[in-house]
Amino acid sequence: MADIKVDPQHVHLDVPGHQTRSWLVWLPAGAVTDDLKDPAIWSKIQNDRQKVLRRHDKLYIVGHDEEFAVEARVIDATRDAAVLALQKIVSTKSRLAPYFADDTYAVKWTPQGFYVQRKQDGMQMGSFFGSEDLAIRHLRNQYPQTVS
């Protein structure tokens, strides 16, 4: 998983209930639904006294590019992390758009999942992924990275 942290400025109280609260959360660029499985992405929120997540809070989480939305509940929370139960994941991406591709690689789908295919020879690069976003992340990792 990437080193994603949710910014407190992108977390908004939607409904301040008597016992639980509902929050609208906008994820940072580059975040995918699988990042929500990492409790540490909430560390900045858990250190914000006004926005700290508590057990049973409800979250409506929207991807930075608005291509997905997630309904979730907080099932555990500490000072540095929050564990979510993901209840519903909805793709709001246009179904008319083709899967991502660049000059060298293309994201493909089969009933086993998404995968990256090298266009030159049709070779599958790596294993299957549960979402197009994870396959795109894998595709980008096929290119050399500069290390500073």
Side-chain angles (χ1 to χ4, degrees):
M1 290 186 208
D3 189 28
I4 302 288
K5 301 289 183 201
V6 177
D7 186 337
Q9 292 182 352
H10 298 146
V11 176
H12 308 281
L13 184 61
D14 190 31
V15 179
H18 294 288
Q19 300 297 318
T20 64
R21 299 167 300 163
S22 293
W23 298 93
L24 173 63
V25 178
W26 291 90
L27 291 177
V32 297
T33 55
D34 270 29
D35 292 322
L36 298 174
K37 297 174 184 174
D38 180 5
I41 71 168
W42 304 102
S43 61
K44 289 182 179 179
I45 307 304
Q46 294 306 92
N47 287 303
D48 184 313
R49 292 179 58 209
Q50 294 179 335
K51 297 184 178 181
V52 63
L53 299 175
R54 298 186 304 227
R55 190 175 171 107
H56 303 295
D57 279 357
K58 298 173 209 116
L59 305 176
Y60 186 79
I61 305 163
V62 180
H64 178 76
D65 53 9
E66 295 188 47
E67 291 196 348
F68 65 86
V70 177
E71 293 178 18
R73 289 197 188 255
V74 178
I75 58 172
D76 201 6
T78 66
R79 285 181 14 163
D80 301 315
V83 178
L84 304 183
L86 305 182
Q87 297 175 303
K88 188 185 297 185
I89 300 173
V90 178
S91 174
T92 55
K93 180 183 324 191
S94 170
R95 298 282 195 252
L96 302 175
Y99 294 124
F100 180 84
D102 63 15
D103 293 338
T104 308
Y105 300 101
V107 173
K108 302 286 186 174
W109 183 84
T110 69
Q112 295 151 316
F114 292 89
Y115 67 95
V116 175
Q117 182 182 62
R118 188 169 47 213
K119 289 181 174 180
Q120 178 182 11
D121 58 6
M123 180 74 165
Q124 180 176 330
M125 308 302 293
S127 59
F128 294 100
F129 299 92
S131 71
E132 182 183 8
D133 292 327
L134 289 175
I136 292 169
R137 185 181 287 171
H138 179 71
L139 181 152
R140 291 187 175 131
N141 288 336
Q142 299 302 311
Y143 293 101
Q145 308 275 328
T146 56
V147 179
S148 51

